[in-house]
Every structure is written in C-alpha cells, then in structure tokens.
C-alpha cells in the first residue's frame, strides 16, 4: 500500500452528553475510492466535519495527517487550502446564478478590480469537461436537474485543485442513470489521481465502486475492508454496520387480503403553471384496502406531483379528472380536506417540508390532528403527551424524551416521527414518498415492518420509491410512471427490475 | 450542591433567564445611579404605564415575527386609530365604549387587509406594511389637518391611560393605610396561582417521565419569582395601586399567552413559523393563520392607539411615530427569532419593560436624548447577540 494521503488517528469528538466519535482511526491511500459506511448516527458525517475543519482543531482529540504532515485546521478555508474538497448532501449552489459563476464562487478570477468573465467561462468549461457535463456554462443552476447540479458541485471542487474529494451521500437524490454516470466520473477522477471519500447508504454502489470500505458503528471504526481482496459483499457490510445479521432486507407479509378499492383516480391530468407544462396526463390508478401499491419511475417522472395533486393540491396545479375515495367522488381544496377524507401524504423531503425541526417530537406527532386532542380549541396537554408516548414506543422512536427537538434525531427516527404524525390521523390511504431515503438499514427494516403491519390492519399504502429493490420487495402491485404517464401496471409477481426499468424509460 | 445545581440550571436555561437577569441588572444600576428614585413606587407606576402601548404592540408583533413576517405599519396605524377614537367622541358624539369598539374593529380590518396582501396576493410583508406606514401616516395627518391636536374631554376614556382601579376598602382604613388593598390582593392571588400552576405542571411532567428542574432548583425558581412578584405588587400598591393601563396589559398578555401556549390556534401559529411548507402539508392553512395573526396585530394597534391617546388625553399629529420600531426592538430583546417559529409573548413584554426601563432610567439621569438612542441601539444589538450565541451553544 502506498503512503496514505490521509491519516486520522485516534479521533475523539464529544458533544454535550454524547460521544459522537471515540478513538476513530481512518487511513485513506492515495488515489483510491474509499467508502465510508455505517448506520445513521454512526459518526460518518461528524468524522468528515472534523476532517474538513467545520469542527476546528482543539474541539476534538486526535491527529490529522495529510501526506504525513500534521494539520490543524481552524476552519473550512484551511482545509480547502490543503486540497480537501467536500460536497454535502444538500447542495451548496446558488440557484439563480449561472453555472460558471457557481463554479468559481469564492475563488473568482479577476482582471484588475473586475471579474474576468472570459477567463471564468473558459475555466468553467474546462472543469465541466472533466465531469463530462455538456452544457452551456451560462445556464442558470435553477434550470438543471439534481444530477447535473451534483456534477456542477464536483466541477466546483475540482476548480480548486482538490486532492481529496469528500462526497456525502452523492447519489441519495439521483436516479439510476445519473448514479451510473456519477460513479463513472468518480472512476475517471481516480485515473487523474484524485482521491475520493464517499459516504453512502447504497451498498450496491459501494460494492461497485469502492477500493476500500471503512465501516463505522456507534462512533467507532468497526473494520476496514479491502475490495481487491474480495472482502466486500453486501452481507458482510450489513453485518458489520448493524452488528447483527439481517436475514432478509424485506420482511415477509403473513397474509395478503385485499378489500374494495379505497382510492381511485380517473383521467387525472395535472398542469403546472410554474413549469409551464402538463406534468401528468390521463393517469388512472386504483388502490385497494390492505394493499401496498408501488409507484416506480425516474426522478422527475411526475410521481411526487401525482401524490401532491391528489393530496389537496397545495402547489396550485390546474387539475382535471376524477378522484374517488371509497367510490365517492371527491375534490380536495387543500391538504386539510384530503386529511379529513382519510388521505395522508408523508413527503419525500422530511427536513424541508415534512417536519418542523425546531419543534419537539410530541408537537410534530400531533400537528396534523391537534383537534382530536382539543376541547373548544384548547389542547389537552396530558392527552397529547400520552399519544406521543404511545407512538414513541409503538414505532420505537429513539429519542431521550418526547420533548427532544426533532432536529436532534437521526434520519431514521425523524422518518418514524413523520410516519407517526400520519398514523395519528388514522388515514384510509397513506402515501409515502421515498419513505426510506437517506436512512440506514436497521431503520429501513423497521419502517418496512411497520408498513406490513399497517396494511394487515386494513390501511392502504401508496409507496413512491426510486429504489427498485424496495419497490419489488414491498409492493403488491406496481405502477410505472414515465414522463407524466402511467406506462405500466404489474402485479409484483410479474415484475422485475429489468421490466420496470424498460417501462420507466419508455 | 445548591450552587452547582444553580449553575447548571442557569446554564441550560440561560436564554430564558438571561432577559430577567438583564432586567434586574438594569433596574439595579438605575436604582443606584438615581439614589433610589428609579425604584420608587411613583416612578415604577409611571414606567409601567408608559410601557403599556408599546407592550400591547410588542405582543402582536411577536406573533407576526414568529410567522416570519413583519409589520411596519403598526405605529401610524395606532396613531391614526387613536385619532379616529378622538374624532368619534368629539365630532360624532359617540360614547367612549362605542368609540373603542369602532377603533378595534377598524384596526382588525386594517390588519386583515395587510394580511390579505401578504397571504393572498403574495406581496412581501415588508413592502405591504411599508405602504401601510405611508398611508396611515397620511391618514393621521389628514384627519388632524383642520384641528391639529384634538383634545379629548371624555373622562372615562382618559381614565384608561391615567386612572387606577378602585380599591375594595376606603383609603383611610387603619389596615395598611399606605397601600392599595385590591392591588395587594390581586398580587397575592397571582403569586398563589403561579405557584400552584407551576407545581401541577411539574407533577404532570414527572408523571410522564419528562425532564424537570431538580427539586431545589424548582423551589429556588419559584421563590425567586414569588419574591419578584411580591416586590412589584408592593411597589405598585404603594402608589395609587394598579393602573387601568397595567390591568389591560395584564389581561391581554394572559389571553395571548393562553392562546399561544395552550390552544390549537397557537400551535398552528408556531408550526407555520417553524416550517410553513410542513405546516401546510399537515393540514394547517398558512393563509388563514397569516390572516389571523395580522388581524390580531391590527386589533392590538387599535388598543394601543386608545391607550396612547387616553394617556395624552388628546390625539396628536405625530402619535405613533416610531412605535413600530420600539415594539419590534422589544420583541427581539424578548427573544423572538427572525428565522421564525420561536418567541414568547411573555418574553416580548419583559423585553418591552427592559426597553422602557432604559428610557425611563436615562430620563431620570438627564441623559442627552442623542446618547439615549445610541445606548438603546447598543442594548438591542447586545440582546440579539446574546440570543444568537446561546442558541448556537445549545445546538
């Protein structure tokens, strides 16, 4: 093994009341792709924040060595200067600025006192070529899809001569094509001598791309595995991550009994004023009692728009078509009406529009159905506490107390809070939009188990998911959405990844 | 042991207690500097009466800031509505109570109009309410154009800003002759009620295994609160007793505190402030909440205008000038966050008292007005820095 480009020795980082990292050691060889995996809360992001100087020298114990020389970063500027670039899960681009301005943001090329526009465009074009992104650099970032934005971020990092590129869950929001493309580009960077550290929950990708994998669990290094020696497989990774063996990623349903149609849409057509186009055309679907219906498709195919237009249309789309709940035609003016009629929707981005992060677990759980806890508008505090405690234990939400702000919970537990909120309204149909995005294997299993339990009790679930194995593992029936149309409907027994992919791209 | 608990309790609740500590420190400094005049019954009574119209606005603006908006129009709306009340009583000859009712209704309508521009049309609150600032200022000048200052002859009306609640026993009773007995009784009832409530709340939290202060700290906190309330009661009872202004502020504060902390509406307001998109998707109508909050703001402008006009016993051409900024400053000193979703009504009232204490103390000391502005600005910045820092340290 060549001399390591990075060595972190015995890193310990504590927050008030929590030890986030204890005695973690982490070595990255020059020119490799090193994946960092672990459950949410295992300490991956904290470790990377220590490395990038977000937590400055002195706020943690241990040493950081870059190419053998010790580093004391006081802030991100220091680590950038040392050649470390970090790309966060939430992209840090300015949407209303051009691609070239974004790439050179903070490192603008000057000619005299003004910005050197031609130089900027030239440099940006070079960087875009490195990430094989063909587009006009004067495009606004807002007009790009998530996949392309990700690549612009990478181009931005490359423009600063990074030697060590850190990517925090770069593929979480990408569809399969964009994912493949990104992995290809990382391989290209490896050829050019850039070392990459990638944090990911998608183990299949990790297996495809990693030279080395380090597994963290509960703030400690569990194992470093060498892919070249064939030490990396999904089973082994999961075993190290959770410290136990998970026999089956998808829990089995004990019985499948479907009742009448609960939710039905007929010729559902949705026009978005914002996008200036029809996002859904003549969509028909049904959901039966006790059924999990999967909606598969690529990012941007219109699945989220479908869910939101059904769920009281908060985006103000122009909607045509018929919607029936238990056979009765309905028309929801706002989400409240949908909720009252028994339709609930847990959004895909729980941090942005699912939860109120600065409020506590209890308040988030009861928000959608506070009236049930109130007499003449006054909330019964004791009843509320009881409800919140019941859901905490029923969904095993890991939190010190129901008074804890949701902000301080891990992704998986936040998702459970979001689900608990909707369970409390006792819906007939629960629409889950990407229910397991960005959460770890253990929490996923718990969410799946819960879904099975709910349908067994007679609820119906609509699951929108971009992860095909999940769609296949959980659904009873699958609709495939492509560019605003339903291009296929398959009972799960007849579906496989290839069929779905073909329909999703048709 | 107690000291150690005290330190940790203070540290973990520094944001909540910081303001009270600041208030005590400021009052202490002024008391020493003025050789006790500041803390005299007469001065404190005056101070609380002066705070009235700002405290009322601060309560309203707190909720506006909590839902991530702002309302700059409140100062001149308050001034204009004060003038409307004066005209209603003098020119139209309606009774005091009808005049107040008219003003509250007009205020609510004006607030709803701003709210509609913000929530219905989608105009930024800053711009919509800046327009209101200009319009109400013009309206105030228009209605006072012919007459200039309008003198209000109604005694009932003027008592609101200058009068005191009646006593239960005549003043010459031998029992505690220097003190206002009803004020004393109300103070004692408030202290008992506060302690009982705190004890019930603690017991109920314990029952559910939620975090509570350690026993000695809880006792210390309640003792401290009781002592402070007793002092205030004693001081206020020592000079004519509770003023109508103070009584009104207390009632409004109790109502708003109840609504914000205990009701569905209050929860929905904080939910909209914390994350409007999530609130909307949880079935909370952001539009309705915005309208409600601005409507309540407008109504409180009416009340504030009545308090101010009554205090001056007249409506003037400059009534309401800079009220909005004083109220906003009070809310920020009181710990409301511009990021939304955070801020208590009680905090803003204490913020208003802190702010007015500064003014009152410096006036007593004869501090030059130019220096007063600078010091008030510095205190505002210091309060918000403290707020931001403690928030950071916590997360």
């Amino acid at each position: 093994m060549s001399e390591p480009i990075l060595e972190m020795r015995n890193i310990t980082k504590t927050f008030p009341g929590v030890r986030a990292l204890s005695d973690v050691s982490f070595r990255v060889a020059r020119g490799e792709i090193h994946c960092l995996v672990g459950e949410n809360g295992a300490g991956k992001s904290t470790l990377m924040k220590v490395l990038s100087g977000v937590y400055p020298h002195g706020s943690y114990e241990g040493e950081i060595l870059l190419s053998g020389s010790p580093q004391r970063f006081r802030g991100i500027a220091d680590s950038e200067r040392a050649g470390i670039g970090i790309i966060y899960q939430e992209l840090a681009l300015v949407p209303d600025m051009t691609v070239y301005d974004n790439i050179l943001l903070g490192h603008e090329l000057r000619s005299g006192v003004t910005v050197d526009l031609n130089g900027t465009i030239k440099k940006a074009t070079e960087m875009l070529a490195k990430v094989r992104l063909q587009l006009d650099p004067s495009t606004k970032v807002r007009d790009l899809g998530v996949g392309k934005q990700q690549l612009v971020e990478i181009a931005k990092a490359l423009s600063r001569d990074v030697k060590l590129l850190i990517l925090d869950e770069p593929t979480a929001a990408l569809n399969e094509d964009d994912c493949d493309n990104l992995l290809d580009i990382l391989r290209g960077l490896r050829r050019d001598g850039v070392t990459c550290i990638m944090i990911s929950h998608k183990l299949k990708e990790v297996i495809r791309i990693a030279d080395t994998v380090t597994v963290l669990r509960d703030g400690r290094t569990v194992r470093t595995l060498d892919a070249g020696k064939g030490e990396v497989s999904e089973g082994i990774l999961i075993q190290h991550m959770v410290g136990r063996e998970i026999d089956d990623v998808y829990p089995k349903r004990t019985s499948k009994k479907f009742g009448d149609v609960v939710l039905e849409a007929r010729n559902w057509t949705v026009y978005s004023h914002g996008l200036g186009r029809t996002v859904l055309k003549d969509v028909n679907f049904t959901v039966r009692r006790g059924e999990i219906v999967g909606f598969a498709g690529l990012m941007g195919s219109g699945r989220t728009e479908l869910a939101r237009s059904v769920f009281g249309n908060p985006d103000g789309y122009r909607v045509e078509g018929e919607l029936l709940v238990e056979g009765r035609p309905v028309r929801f003016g706002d989400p409240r009406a949908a909720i009252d009629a028994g339709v609930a929707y847990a959004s895909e981005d729980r941090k942005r529009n699912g939860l109120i992060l600065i409020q506590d677990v209890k308040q988030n759980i009861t928000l959608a159905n506070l009236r049930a806890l109130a007499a003449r508008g006054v909330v019964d505090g004791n009843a509320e506490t009881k409800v919140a405690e019941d859901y905490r234990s029923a969904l095993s939400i890991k939190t010190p107390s129901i008074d804890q702000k949701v902000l301080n919970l891990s992704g998986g537990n936040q998702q459970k809070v979001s689900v608990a909120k909707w369970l409390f309204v006792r819906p007939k149909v629960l629409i889950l939009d990407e229910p397991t995005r960005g959460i770890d294997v253990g929490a996923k299993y718990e969410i799946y188990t819960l879904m099975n339990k709910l349908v067994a009790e007679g609820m119906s679930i609509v699951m929108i998911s971009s992860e095909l194995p999940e769609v296949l593992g959980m659904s009873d029936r699958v609709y495939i959405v492509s560019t605003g149309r339903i291009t296929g409907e398959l009972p799960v027994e007849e579906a496989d990844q290839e069929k779905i992919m073909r329909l999703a791209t048709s | 042991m107690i000291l150690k608990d005290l330190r940790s309790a203070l540290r973990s609740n520094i944001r909540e207690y910081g303001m009270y500590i600041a208030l005590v420190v400021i009052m202490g400094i002024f008391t020493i500097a003025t050789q006790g005049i500041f803390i005299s019954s007469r001065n404190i009574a005056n101070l609380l009466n002066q705070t009235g119209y700002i405290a009322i606005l601060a309560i309203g603006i707190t909720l506006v800031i909590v839902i991530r908006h702002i309302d700059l129009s409140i100062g001149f709306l308050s001034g204009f509505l004060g003038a409307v009340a004066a005209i209603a009583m003098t020119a139209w000859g309606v009774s005091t109570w009808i005049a107040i009712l008219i003003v509250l209704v007009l205020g609510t309508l004006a607030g709803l109009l701003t709210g509609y521009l913000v929530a219905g049309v989608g105009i930024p609150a800053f711009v919509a309410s800046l327009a209101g600032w200009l319009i109400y200022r013009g309206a105030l000048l228009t209605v006072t154009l012919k007459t200039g200052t309008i003198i209000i002859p109604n005694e009932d009306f003027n008592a609101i800003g200058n009068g005191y609640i009646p006593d239960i026993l005549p003043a010459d009773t031998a029992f505690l002759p220097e003190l206002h007995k009803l004020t004393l009784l109300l103070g004692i009832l408030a202290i008992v009620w506060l302690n009982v409530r705190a004890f019930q709340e603690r017991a109920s939290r314990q029952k559910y295994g939620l975090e509570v202060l350690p026993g000695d700290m809880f006792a210390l906190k309640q003792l401290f609160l009781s002592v402070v309330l007793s002092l205030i009661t004693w001081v206020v009872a020592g000079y004519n007793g509770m003023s109508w202004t103070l009584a009104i502020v207390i009632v409004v504060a109790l109502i708003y505190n109840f609504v914000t902390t205990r009701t569905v509406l209050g929860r929905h307001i904080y939910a909209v402030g914390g994350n409007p998109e999530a609130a909307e998707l949880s079935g909370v109508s952001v539009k309705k909440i915005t309208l409600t909050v601005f409507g309540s703001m407008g109504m409180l402008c009416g009340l504030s205008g009545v308090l101010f006009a009554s205090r001056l016993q007249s409506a003037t051409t400059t009534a309401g000038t800079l009220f909005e900024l004083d109220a906003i400053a009070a809310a920020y000193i009181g710990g409301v966050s511009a990021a939304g979703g955070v801020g208590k009504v009680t905090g803003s009232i204490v913020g208003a008292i802190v702010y007015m204490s500064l003014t009152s103390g410096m006036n007593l000391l004869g501090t030059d007005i130019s220096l007063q502005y600078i010091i008030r600005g510095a205190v505002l910045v210091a309060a918000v820095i403290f707020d931001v820092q403690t928030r950071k340290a916590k997360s």
Side-chain angles (χ1 to χ4, degrees), chain A residues 325-350:
Chain A
V325 173
E326 293 180 326
R328 281 189 303 275
V330 287
R331 197 154 270 281
F332 303 139
D334 54 23
R336 180 82 257 160
I339 295 167
D340 291 342
V343 179
Y345 167 72
S347 67
E348 57 177 332
D349 189 339
R350 56 183 170 266

Tab-separated table of all heavy atoms in Angstrom, chain A residues 325-350:
chain	number	residue	atom	x	y	z
A	325	VAL	N	-62.828	8.446	-3.360
A	325	VAL	CA	-62.441	7.782	-2.122
A	325	VAL	C	-63.586	6.869	-1.731
A	325	VAL	O	-64.714	7.329	-1.571
A	325	VAL	CB	-62.151	8.799	-1.007
A	325	VAL	CG1	-61.911	8.092	0.321
A	325	VAL	CG2	-60.939	9.651	-1.364
A	326	GLU	N	-63.313	5.592	-1.630
A	326	GLU	CA	-64.330	4.575	-1.345
A	326	GLU	C	-65.521	4.719	-2.290
A	326	GLU	O	-66.669	4.642	-1.869
A	326	GLU	CB	-64.761	4.656	0.116
A	326	GLU	CG	-63.627	4.268	1.050
A	326	GLU	CD	-64.011	4.326	2.522
A	326	GLU	OE1	-64.816	5.200	2.866
A	326	GLU	OE2	-63.510	3.491	3.288
A	327	GLY	N	-65.209	4.999	-3.541
A	327	GLY	CA	-66.243	5.064	-4.559
A	327	GLY	C	-66.974	6.384	-4.676
A	327	GLY	O	-67.738	6.588	-5.602
A	328	ARG	N	-66.767	7.266	-3.732
A	328	ARG	CA	-67.453	8.566	-3.792
A	328	ARG	C	-66.520	9.595	-4.419
A	328	ARG	O	-65.376	9.732	-4.003
A	328	ARG	CB	-67.848	9.027	-2.389
A	328	ARG	CG	-69.096	8.364	-1.846
A	328	ARG	CD	-69.537	9.032	-0.542
A	328	ARG	NE	-68.459	9.000	0.457
A	328	ARG	CZ	-68.245	7.960	1.265
A	328	ARG	NH1	-69.007	6.886	1.198
A	328	ARG	NH2	-67.259	7.997	2.141
A	329	PRO	N	-67.032	10.331	-5.390
A	329	PRO	CA	-66.178	11.360	-5.999
A	329	PRO	C	-65.855	12.458	-4.980
A	329	PRO	O	-66.736	12.875	-4.214
A	329	PRO	CB	-67.036	11.940	-7.137
A	329	PRO	CG	-68.313	11.197	-7.123
A	329	PRO	CD	-68.368	10.276	-5.972
A	330	VAL	N	-64.620	12.886	-4.967
A	330	VAL	CA	-64.209	13.940	-4.034
A	330	VAL	C	-63.401	14.983	-4.786
A	330	VAL	O	-62.892	14.749	-5.872
A	330	VAL	CB	-63.322	13.383	-2.883
A	330	VAL	CG1	-64.123	12.583	-1.906
A	330	VAL	CG2	-62.162	12.584	-3.445
A	331	ARG	N	-63.308	16.153	-4.179
A	331	ARG	CA	-62.457	17.211	-4.727
A	331	ARG	C	-61.869	17.944	-3.526
A	331	ARG	O	-62.597	18.533	-2.742
A	331	ARG	CB	-63.306	18.150	-5.601
A	331	ARG	CG	-62.486	19.014	-6.510
A	331	ARG	CD	-63.268	19.428	-7.747
A	331	ARG	NE	-63.115	18.486	-8.848
A	331	ARG	CZ	-62.047	18.434	-9.647
A	331	ARG	NH1	-61.037	19.242	-9.451
A	331	ARG	NH2	-61.975	17.570	-10.637
A	332	PHE	N	-60.576	17.831	-3.348
A	332	PHE	CA	-59.949	18.439	-2.168
A	332	PHE	C	-59.415	19.823	-2.509
A	332	PHE	O	-58.633	19.996	-3.425
A	332	PHE	CB	-58.786	17.581	-1.671
A	332	PHE	CG	-59.166	16.164	-1.344
A	332	PHE	CD1	-58.339	15.116	-1.695
A	332	PHE	CD2	-60.341	15.888	-0.663
A	332	PHE	CE1	-58.686	13.813	-1.400
A	332	PHE	CE2	-60.691	14.587	-0.357
A	332	PHE	CZ	-59.861	13.543	-0.729
A	333	GLY	N	-59.833	20.815	-1.737
A	333	GLY	CA	-59.350	22.179	-1.965
A	333	GLY	C	-58.003	22.438	-1.328
A	333	GLY	O	-57.239	23.269	-1.784
A	334	ASP	N	-57.720	21.725	-0.260
A	334	ASP	CA	-56.425	21.883	0.397
A	334	ASP	C	-56.097	20.588	1.137
A	334	ASP	O	-56.948	19.694	1.250
A	334	ASP	CB	-56.444	23.087	1.348
A	334	ASP	CG	-57.586	23.008	2.353
A	334	ASP	OD1	-58.076	21.892	2.623
A	334	ASP	OD2	-57.985	24.060	2.865
A	335	PRO	N	-54.867	20.468	1.633
A	335	PRO	CA	-54.488	19.225	2.312
A	335	PRO	C	-55.426	18.851	3.459
A	335	PRO	O	-55.700	17.683	3.687
A	335	PRO	CB	-53.076	19.540	2.829
A	335	PRO	CG	-52.529	20.520	1.862
A	335	PRO	CD	-53.705	21.370	1.466
A	336	ARG	N	-55.946	19.882	4.157
A	336	ARG	CA	-56.848	19.589	5.273
A	336	ARG	C	-58.041	18.729	4.816
A	336	ARG	O	-58.419	17.765	5.468
A	336	ARG	CB	-57.353	20.922	5.844
A	336	ARG	CG	-58.293	20.827	7.007
A	336	ARG	CD	-57.536	20.632	8.299
A	336	ARG	NE	-57.579	19.257	8.754
A	336	ARG	CZ	-56.717	18.734	9.619
A	336	ARG	NH1	-55.730	19.451	10.098
A	336	ARG	NH2	-56.817	17.491	9.998
A	337	ALA	N	-58.600	19.097	3.664
A	337	ALA	CA	-59.751	18.361	3.153
A	337	ALA	C	-59.358	16.916	2.850
A	337	ALA	O	-60.112	15.980	3.124
A	337	ALA	CB	-60.290	19.046	1.898
A	338	ALA	N	-58.165	16.745	2.275
A	338	ALA	CA	-57.691	15.396	1.970
A	338	ALA	C	-57.529	14.584	3.243
A	338	ALA	O	-57.942	13.429	3.333
A	338	ALA	CB	-56.368	15.476	1.205
A	339	ILE	N	-56.923	15.220	4.263
A	339	ILE	CA	-56.698	14.528	5.537
A	339	ILE	C	-58.038	14.118	6.142
A	339	ILE	O	-58.217	12.991	6.595
A	339	ILE	CB	-55.927	15.439	6.518
A	339	ILE	CG1	-54.522	15.729	5.985
A	339	ILE	CG2	-55.846	14.803	7.900
A	339	ILE	CD1	-53.804	16.849	6.702
A	340	ASP	N	-58.991	15.058	6.120
A	340	ASP	CA	-60.301	14.769	6.699
A	340	ASP	C	-60.999	13.620	5.976
A	340	ASP	O	-61.790	12.889	6.563
A	340	ASP	CB	-61.179	16.022	6.679
A	340	ASP	CG	-60.659	17.085	7.646
A	340	ASP	OD1	-59.860	16.709	8.537
A	340	ASP	OD2	-61.037	18.259	7.508
A	341	ALA	N	-60.699	13.478	4.670
A	341	ALA	CA	-61.328	12.395	3.913
A	341	ALA	C	-60.551	11.085	4.049
A	341	ALA	O	-60.955	10.069	3.493
A	341	ALA	CB	-61.438	12.791	2.444
A	342	GLY	N	-59.432	11.114	4.787
A	342	GLY	CA	-58.706	9.867	5.025
A	342	GLY	C	-57.520	9.627	4.116
A	342	GLY	O	-57.043	8.502	3.995
A	343	VAL	N	-57.026	10.674	3.469
A	343	VAL	CA	-55.835	10.520	2.639
A	343	VAL	C	-54.692	11.292	3.292
A	343	VAL	O	-54.834	12.468	3.616
A	343	VAL	CB	-56.067	11.071	1.214
A	343	VAL	CG1	-54.807	10.928	0.371
A	343	VAL	CG2	-57.235	10.346	0.560
A	344	ALA	N	-53.568	10.624	3.507
A	344	ALA	CA	-52.420	11.287	4.131
A	344	ALA	C	-51.209	11.148	3.227
A	344	ALA	O	-51.101	10.192	2.452
A	344	ALA	CB	-52.119	10.678	5.498
A	345	TYR	N	-50.312	12.105	3.315
A	345	TYR	CA	-49.137	12.112	2.445
A	345	TYR	C	-47.889	12.493	3.239
A	345	TYR	O	-47.799	13.600	3.776
A	345	TYR	CB	-49.353	13.120	1.300
A	345	TYR	CG	-48.111	13.445	0.506
A	345	TYR	CD1	-47.550	12.511	-0.368
A	345	TYR	CD2	-47.490	14.691	0.621
A	345	TYR	CE1	-46.414	12.814	-1.095
A	345	TYR	CE2	-46.356	14.995	-0.114
A	345	TYR	CZ	-45.819	14.057	-0.962
A	345	TYR	OH	-44.691	14.355	-1.680
A	346	ALA	N	-46.955	11.559	3.368
A	346	ALA	CA	-45.674	11.854	4.024
A	346	ALA	C	-44.680	12.222	2.931
A	346	ALA	O	-44.376	11.412	2.069
A	346	ALA	CB	-45.188	10.648	4.817
A	347	SER	N	-44.219	13.465	2.959
A	347	SER	CA	-43.454	13.997	1.828
A	347	SER	C	-42.066	13.382	1.727
A	347	SER	O	-41.557	12.798	2.670
A	347	SER	CB	-43.345	15.507	1.950
A	347	SER	OG	-42.557	15.823	3.071
A	348	GLU	N	-41.464	13.551	0.538
A	348	GLU	CA	-40.181	12.903	0.291
A	348	GLU	C	-39.037	13.578	1.035
A	348	GLU	O	-38.076	12.940	1.417
A	348	GLU	CB	-39.885	12.890	-1.218
A	348	GLU	CG	-39.883	14.264	-1.832
A	348	GLU	CD	-39.510	14.255	-3.306
A	348	GLU	OE1	-38.783	13.359	-3.731
A	348	GLU	OE2	-39.963	15.157	-4.027
A	349	ASP	N	-39.156	14.902	1.228
A	349	ASP	CA	-38.056	15.617	1.863
A	349	ASP	C	-38.487	15.995	3.272
A	349	ASP	O	-39.027	17.059	3.496
A	349	ASP	CB	-37.730	16.864	1.024
A	349	ASP	CG	-36.456	17.529	1.502
A	349	ASP	OD1	-36.074	17.300	2.659
A	349	ASP	OD2	-35.854	18.280	0.720
A	350	ARG	N	-38.278	15.083	4.202
A	350	ARG	CA	-38.865	15.295	5.521
A	350	ARG	C	-38.299	16.531	6.207
A	350	ARG	O	-38.969	17.172	6.998
A	350	ARG	CB	-38.676	14.060	6.406
A	350	ARG	CG	-37.265	13.652	6.560
A	350	ARG	CD	-37.116	12.390	7.371
A	350	ARG	NE	-35.745	11.948	7.266
A	350	ARG	CZ	-35.327	11.075	6.381
A	350	ARG	NH1	-36.175	10.510	5.566
A	350	ARG	NH2	-34.046	10.759	6.312
